[in-house]
Amino acid sequence: MPERKPRKDAARNRAAVFAAADTLFAQCRSPEDVTMADIAAAAGVGKGTLFRAFGDRTALIRALCEARLEPLRSAVEEGPPPLGPATPPLQRVPALLDAVLCFKLDNRHLALALEATGADSPYRTAHYERWHTLLRDLLKQLPALAALDSADFAAHALLAATRADLVEYLAGEKGLPREELRKRLADYIAGTLGARTQREPADEH
């Protein structure tokens, strides 16, 4: 029984920190403006508590993003179509990329902060490697890409269309509506994959 109270306090503090960080990133002009001191003050915890729990700002951002991505990750790993593993690649790839785009639209500054945590490149972050690996393995199942051994490149190219800095530019600076961005992404994916794969049955005759 005596051990439960610290655990409850830790869970409560973690929830408060995540909620505070969510708000600060949503309201900031730039992700770099949000400091550990800001988050601690908004969460009502000591800065020392924050550093003991997460280590540094980068680890906190990664932990927050992982928590926010959990519903999407669960849907991808064990959910129904169109995100779940039973979905054919031609349907699953557009659904996955649309889900990534929507996540970044809903969490633009958090996503920008996360991509900036790569040691020297946003492509070195764990979340990027996870999405790239999944997309690459799906694209390898498409004969048009597997034959050219281009699934790895195609996965990078498709993910580039959902980069947080591009989403911020198009949605923030250019003011493109959410549904317009989703439509343009869907059209881009169809143009990249659909036309080539749809021609394959005709090639057999």
Side-chain angles (χ1 to χ4, degrees):
M1 289 295 293
E3 295 182 358
R4 288 184 181 177
K5 188 174 186 300
R7 290 174 184 170
K8 288 180 180 178
D9 288 346
R12 186 166 55 247
N13 286 343
R14 188 179 184 86
V17 166
F18 282 176
D22 270 337
T23 299
L24 289 171
F25 278 117
Q27 296 176 346
C28 70
R29 287 185 297 177
S30 169
E32 289 75 20
D33 294 340
V34 180
T35 67
M36 290 287 270
D38 295 332
I39 296 171
V45 302
K47 192 161 69 170
T49 299
L50 206 58
F51 279 101
R52 283 193 296 273
F54 297 98
D56 58 22
R57 181 177 178 276
T58 293
L60 188 156
I61 291 170
R62 289 174 177 166
L64 173 58
C65 201
E66 286 297 316
R68 298 299 175 252
L69 277 168
E70 179 56 36
L72 176 55
R73 185 166 56 248
S74 178
V76 168
E77 292 176 356
E78 55 191 18
L83 291 175
T87 313
L90 275 179
Q91 287 75 52
R92 198 178 184 204
V93 168
L96 288 168
L97 290 163
D98 180 68
V100 172
L101 173 64
C102 289
F103 177 83
K104 292 186 178 180
L105 284 167
D106 293 337
N107 302 273
R108 275 157 48 190
H109 285 175
L110 174 60
L112 282 169
L114 178 69
E115 290 184 3
T117 62
D120 54 9
S121 166
Y123 305 106
R124 297 181 184 275
T125 58
H127 84 284
Y128 182 86
E129 292 178 359
R130 185 164 59 240
W131 284 115
H132 177 265
T133 299
L134 176 58
L135 283 170
R136 181 199 64 204
D137 291 347
L138 286 171
L139 293 170
K140 279 182 178 179
Q141 299 176 45
L142 302 176
L145 287 168
L148 296 173
D149 195 24
S150 56
D152 186 82
F153 176 81
H156 282 303
L158 289 169
L159 281 170
T162 69
R163 274 180 54 101
D165 54 358
L166 177 61
V167 171
E168 170 63 16
Y169 172 71
L170 293 175
E173 294 188 38
K174 299 286 286 185
L176 289 180
R178 180 189 188 93
E179 293 308 312
E180 177 65 19
L181 280 174
R182 294 179 68 190
K183 180 182 181 301
R184 292 192 185 188
L185 177 63
D187 290 345
Y188 171 67
I189 297 167
T192 303
L193 303 179
R196 293 172 65 184
T197 55
Q198 287 168 11
R199 283 199 298 268
E200 288 173 6
D203 293 341
E204 296 175 0
H205 299 291

